[in-house]
Amino acid sequence: MSVITETAERTLIDSIPRGLFIDGRWRDASTGGTFAVIDPSTGEELVRIADATVEDGEAALAAAHAAQASWARTAPRERAEILRRAFDAVTARADDFALLMTLEMGKPLAEARGEVAYGAEFLRWFSEETARISGRFATAPDGKTRLLVMKRPVGPCLFITPWNFPLAMATRKIAPAIAAGCTMVLKPAALTPLTAMLFAQVLQEAGLPAGVLNVIPTTSAGRVTGPLVKDARLRKLSFTGSTEVGRRLIADAADQVLRVSMELGGNAPLLVFDDADLDQAVEGALLAKLRNGGEACTAANRILVHESVADEFSTRLAARVGGYRVARGTEEGAQIGPLVDEATRTKVHELVTSAIEDGARVVVGGSAIDGPGYFYQPTVLADVPADARILGEEIFGPVAPIVAFRDEAEAIALANATEFGLVAYAFTKDLNRGLRLAEELEVGMFGLNTGIVSNPAAPFGGVKQSGLGREGGFEGIEEYLETRYVGIADPFAAAR
Ligand code: NAP
């Protein structure tokens, strides 16, 4: 039974702006074109919205560029209070944001509420950081110069975000940019633009001046953002999405030596040692694997378990995974929603099939679910050979492949045998081992005896081909600040 009525869904969808948000105004695309936003749990159209063109992209950057100088001069407190009001508004409208994400992306309402809390927290965190931007003053060692080091906003930014966390992936960029005094153009994922539009409306109501944030949903991502990346008015590109697209954007950004932040793909290992608390490890694996239906860059993609506990762990994990309720996200008790589209479901099933061909054993799940929507059974695969194809690619679905290892050295070697380096998790009661892993695993983030690391107060990001730069924490605002040094003549020169 649905906990939300059809009327409530319709009322919310009808209240969301359908235009592009450029220079503080909602307007149609220059050609009048629109595209459909689909509910992945039914495959049906929710609404049609404006489809930005190359000209619209240029208008958005022109607005961001025009607003930059005056925005950079605003008092930090003014920017902080806009962010704080936005935090209050998103929190007050948590049910609307959650339902919207459930409708356009498919995640269950409970998870969507979790994302609202997480996404809103970036607004509060960077509201607090706004007033702490500072520099330093020093006397040079020879005593002849004074050194003033200051922080300046980078300037107009382009943000490109994915569909899997429609609110949080946007606030993780927008909040520090507002805090630093940057203006911006946001291109949300074409699959999930509605959350970004509601958020833009909230920021407008919170007092964000015209032109500071511009939002241009489009079905022509490359064609619309390409010219912006080459435009000298743009000073920063921050992208969250696949490594494949990120690589291409880094190459394009080289032309004007654009500052870039890249939050790219992952292939997270989750290590379970023979001394682990297995109940805790199973809970951690459920969280790391099934949060967001497995459609997360932080999802545990390779579950590496010591050979002496591998069978028991697989059995216990499968018992829990098999009990998950798969349903439309608005259904009471839904724990896993649909995958975002048919292409994603097809890819997940191909990976499962290839793993079986490679010698894996299906403990639970392993098939698509018939009916409307793009549902897939939560799946556990045991005895997966270490060279199976499924371990080399991001699964992006509710599938947990389990690989047995012999000892710590082999576990570390397996964990590091990937071009990705976003996050790793490990379960062990041995603190020394935990610290060894923290030093030896090639990742930007490490969860010790926990299946979740995302936290607005911590620096999120990867190494190797998982990205460049950090979002959140004290580090997050630095991505939007330039360091400027002013050399000042010795004020006592005349007296010397
Ligand atoms: P994606 O295909 O790379 O798309 C991400 C964004 O880039 C979308 O807005 C997309 O627009 C746009 N895009 C696609 N091609 C482009 C091009 N040629 N030029 C400019 N923009 C382009 O990734 P996705 O499927 O949406 O998201 C899943 C990926 O994101 C996974 O690899 C996941 O690991 C990664 N991710 C990483 C993090 C992190 O923090 N490290 C967080 C979340 C997700 P369209 O919507 O029009 O395709």
Side-chain angles (χ1 to χ4, degrees):
M1 198 187 76
S2 178
V3 292
I4 306 284
T5 63
E6 262 179 52
T7 315
E9 287 180 15
R10 201 65 251 163
T11 306
L12 175 63
I13 293 289
D14 288 345
S15 74
I16 305 302
R18 297 175 188 196
L20 312 175
F21 185 57
I22 298 177
D23 205 12
R25 288 188 310 116
W26 294 94
R27 45 169 258 201
D28 291 340
S30 59
T31 54
T34 60
F35 68 97
V37 182
I38 305 293
D39 176 344
S41 69
T42 61
E44 285 171 16
E45 179 177 311
L46 288 167
V47 66
R48 295 190 72 83
I49 63 158
D51 191 354
T53 62
V54 172
E55 292 71 40
D56 295 323
E58 279 168 0
L61 179 58
H65 181 253
Q68 180 59 60
S70 60
W71 179 239
R73 284 195 291 267
T74 51
R77 186 67 75 204
E78 191 180 329
R79 301 197 298 274
E81 286 179 358
I82 290 170
L83 284 171
R84 180 64 209 209
R85 284 195 293 275
F87 167 78
D88 290 340
V90 171
T91 305
R93 296 193 64 183
D95 285 347
D96 287 348
F97 274 100
L99 178 56
L100 202 52
M101 286 195 281
T102 295
L103 293 177
E104 66 175 347
M105 185 274 173
K107 67 182 74 186
L109 269 179
E111 291 219 42
R113 287 198 191 96
E115 181 179 343
V116 177
Y118 173 59
E121 200 55 50
F122 288 100
L123 302 167
R124 179 156 63 176
W125 173 264
F126 284 108
S127 152
E128 291 158 349
E129 286 301 285
T130 310
R132 321 231 183 284
I133 300 168
S134 63
R136 64 190 165 92
F137 182 82
T139 302
D142 65 4
K144 292 182 186 156
T145 314
R146 299 297 180 270
L147 315 176
L148 176 64
V149 181
M150 60 169 80
K151 296 288 181 178
R152 301 286 307 152
V154 168
C157 305
L158 171 63
F159 296 153
I160 303 178
T161 52
W163 48 263
N164 59 346
F165 292 97
L167 179 65
M169 296 303 97
T171 57
R172 222 160 69 169
K173 300 182 191 304
I174 292 171
I178 289 177
C182 296
T183 62
M184 62 212 97
V185 175
L186 168 67
K187 194 221 74 69
L191 290 170
T192 59
L194 302 179
T195 305
M197 291 156 86
L198 178 58
F199 181 56
Q201 192 178 50
V202 160
L203 276 173
Q204 188 180 27
E205 288 165 7
L208 194 72
V212 174
L213 169 69
N214 304 275
V215 185
I216 49 164
T218 178
T219 51
S220 311
R223 273 190 347 106
V224 171
T225 62
L228 306 187
V229 172
K230 307 270 179 187
D231 191 312
R233 292 171 297 181
L234 191 75
R235 294 300 166 79
K236 161 108 197 175
L237 166 64
S238 179
F239 170 76
T240 300
S242 61
T243 296
E244 188 191 347
V245 173
R247 234 184 249 127
R248 223 176 312 149
L249 289 172
I250 294 171
D252 292 346
D255 273 8
Q256 54 157 343
V257 194
L258 205 56
R259 270 189 72 173
V260 293
S261 300
M262 292 280 148
E263 296 287 349
L264 306 178
N267 183 0
L270 183 145
L271 284 57
V272 180
F273 287 89
D274 49 356
D275 63 355
D277 173 336
L278 277 199
D279 288 334
Q280 187 184 42
V282 168
E283 290 307 318
L286 289 169
L287 196 56
K289 180 71 254 181
L290 294 184
R291 189 168 76 100
N292 224 42
E295 292 175 310
C297 53
T298 50
N301 214 55
R302 298 171 293 150
I303 302 189
L304 311 177
V305 187
H306 189 267
E307 57 189 8
S308 67
V309 291
D311 280 346
E312 190 183 348
F313 179 84
S314 306
T315 307
R316 285 206 214 175
L317 184 69
R320 292 292 307 280
V321 167
Y324 265 59
R325 176 158 152 67
V326 183
R328 187 171 195 246
T330 52
E331 291 289 309
E332 196 159 7
Q335 290 171 293
I336 302 267
L339 292 169
V340 76
D341 60 11
E342 187 60 63
T344 303
R345 181 165 71 166
T346 303
K347 189 194 163 197
V348 168
H349 191 58
E350 266 173 28
L351 284 173
V352 169
T353 309
S354 77
I356 296 166
E357 283 164 10
D358 287 336
R361 175 170 58 88
V362 178
V363 192
V364 68
S367 306
I369 298 173
D370 287 342
Y374 315 118
F375 294 92
Y376 198 86
Q377 292 176 334
T379 299
V380 175
L381 302 171
D383 306 333
V384 180
D387 59 354
R389 177 186 152 205
I390 195 170
L391 304 176
E393 293 183 33
E394 237 185 330
I395 303 169
F396 246 58
V399 178
I402 299 176
V403 183
F405 66 81
R406 276 190 312 277
D407 55 26
E408 185 180 315
E410 190 189 20
I412 292 173
L414 286 172
N416 287 341
T418 167
E419 72 270 26
F420 295 105
L422 189 61
V423 59
Y425 310 89
F427 290 82
T428 175
K429 285 189 194 139
D430 180 343
L431 183 58
N432 282 331
R433 188 194 332 254
L435 290 172
R436 284 196 297 277
L437 294 169
E439 293 186 12
E440 296 292 314
L441 293 173
E442 297 167 353
V443 288
M445 301 174 287
F446 175 48
L448 183 56
N449 294 321
T450 174
I452 188 163
V453 292
S454 303
N455 190 315
F460 187 105
V463 299
K464 295 160 82 178
Q465 294 191 29
S466 286
L468 300 166
R470 294 293 179 267
E471 293 190 330
F474 301 124
E475 293 80 356
I477 201 164
E478 291 297 329
E479 304 283 321
Y480 299 96
L481 294 169
E482 294 283 13
T483 299
R484 179 173 300 167
Y485 144 64
V486 182
I488 306 168
D490 179 6
F492 296 104
R496 285 191 204 278

